[in-house]
Amino acid sequence: MNSRSTKVAIAGAGIGGLAAAIALRQRGCEVVVVEQAAQLGEVGAGVQMSPNAVKVLRAIGVEPLIRDLSCEPLAFTGRDWRSGRVLYRTPIKGTYERVYGAGYYHVHRADLHRALIERLGDTDLRLGLRVAGIEQDRHAASLKLESGETIEADVIIGADGIHSAIRRSILGDEKPRFTGNICWRGMVPVDALPKGHVELASSNWLGPKGHVVHYYVKGGAMVNFVAVYETDEWTQESWSTPSSVDEILKTYAGWNQELLTTFSKAERCFKWALYDRDPLARWSQGRVTLLGDAAHPMLPFLAQGAAMAIEDGYELASKISDVQSLAGIEEALAEYERQRIPRTSRVQLGARARGATMHLRSPWARMKRNFGFMLQGLRTPESTTHRAEWIFGYDATAR
Ligand SMILES: Cc1cc2nc3c(=O)[nH]c(=O)nc-3n(C[C@H](O)[C@H](O)[C@H](O)COP(=O)(O)OP(=O)(O)OC[C@H]3O[C@@H](n4cnc5c(N)ncnc54)[C@H](O)[C@@H]3O)c2cc1C
């Protein structure tokens, strides 16, 4: 067997599964992708694509397809929840390409998903089929579908998200952990806001028990916001539970008026509870492995879940396509784990830790943190406030 004949079955056509499928096809593998949704699409929300993800999107030919639909922020800004005072501002546009080798994009998820599908071309994509689990012995592995059908392959990838059936099948049934954070997302047409109301930035408002992030998408026509607040009341993990502007305004009563005005113009709002899992020591069993949220679901506080899924997909494709015989597959998957688990675990734990820094309740602790931001801005004006250089500088395509 050479790499041209390696057949890979992927469960899940999310951002991670599609990135992996494109990278595998680029390297000559035969790919089938199975997706439970009858129609493809992504939720109406934004996603931040940092340089480490953009380097992979460039390598798989997706970057040019999203460039005009994205917005590149001028800076990361941190603002005080009540006064709106700027706590830090670190430059992005004009700096990131030079420092990290790629830009930082804000893009609507549907636009990114559409671009991935376009690059997928004539890959075998089967919609409306739900994966139930896997079966494997020493010679073959197959995806078991709920319909009773099976799809045999040399390698199986579980890219089926936080409630992964593939993960359950190989690692057992262990529930994700509610992190105590509830999250609202909404989109606001720029025309509904006063001119210049929202800065062209990745804006982070930091307050007690919560934070809010907003940025432009759709080439600057819409503002996307994500508002996170600590609670122990409500725990539904779904992207599509409807909420209301009133509910958000009630939760953020007392926060800066500029922010409340942005919330008040949201077209529709949704809410969901944030879950994650602890990092794992293994993701694979035999010829079956995991990527993205199926392997390492994380809090969105470093904006890295999709970026890690994209990196996983690229590096996994590289390991699989290097395999010269079926006997080498298990070792290739072990090598993939050795390469990816230390990095994704660090990001998972880093995202948790960042929540604590952003949601400080004590005014003294916030003052101390803000003083640190100020000092760092003076000492190293180009470095990211949350020291994310090790994340952004990484290049999965060079490994
Ligand atoms: C509020 C919020 C903001 C975020 N912001 C960012 C950000 O700015 N930047 C960033 O990089 N990340 C961000 N993330 C994280 C990011 O959204 C996820 O990490 C990413 O979408 C994971 O991609 P995935 O392909 O692994 O899984 P998913 O996107 O969950 O895709 C899984 C796919 O598998 C399918 N599927 C599931 N089960 C089955 C089954 N049994 N059979 C067949 N198909 C199945 C699903 O329908 C879906 O299409 C954010 C997350 C949240 C919650």
Side-chain angles (χ1 to χ4, degrees), residues 15 18-19 22 60 62 112-120:
I15 292 168
L18 292 176
I22 298 166
I60 61 173
V62 171
L112 175 58
H113 208 254
R114 209 174 299 115
L116 288 162
I117 295 289
E118 192 177 326
R119 284 293 297 158
L120 199 63

Side-chain angles (χ1 to χ4, degrees), residues 260-314:
L260 302 183
T261 302
T262 305
F263 289 151
S264 71
K265 302 294 180 187
E267 278 181 337
R268 287 196 302 161
C269 321
F270 297 88
K271 64 174 178 178
W272 70 103
L274 294 178
Y275 281 75
D276 74 356
R277 293 182 192 264
D278 289 327
L280 287 174
R282 295 294 311 268
W283 295 343
S284 313
Q285 189 194 76
R287 292 142 183 268
V288 183
T289 195
L290 305 172
L291 65 71
D293 278 8
H296 46 67
M298 59 183 72
L299 280 163
F301 301 166
L302 289 170
Q304 283 298 316
M308 288 301 119
I310 289 169
E311 287 183 5
D312 287 346
Y314 194 88

Side-chain angles (χ1 to χ4, degrees), residues 12-17 34-36 47-49 109 129-131 159-161 165 183 226 239 272 274 292-293 300 303-307 309:
I15 292 168
V34 179
E35 165 59 44
Q36 66 184 358
V47 63
Q48 313 201 55
M49 287 282 98
R109 281 171 187 266
L129 293 176
R130 214 173 136 71
V131 172
D160 48 347
C183 183
V226 174
W239 280 81
W272 70 103
L274 294 178
D293 278 8
Q304 283 298 316

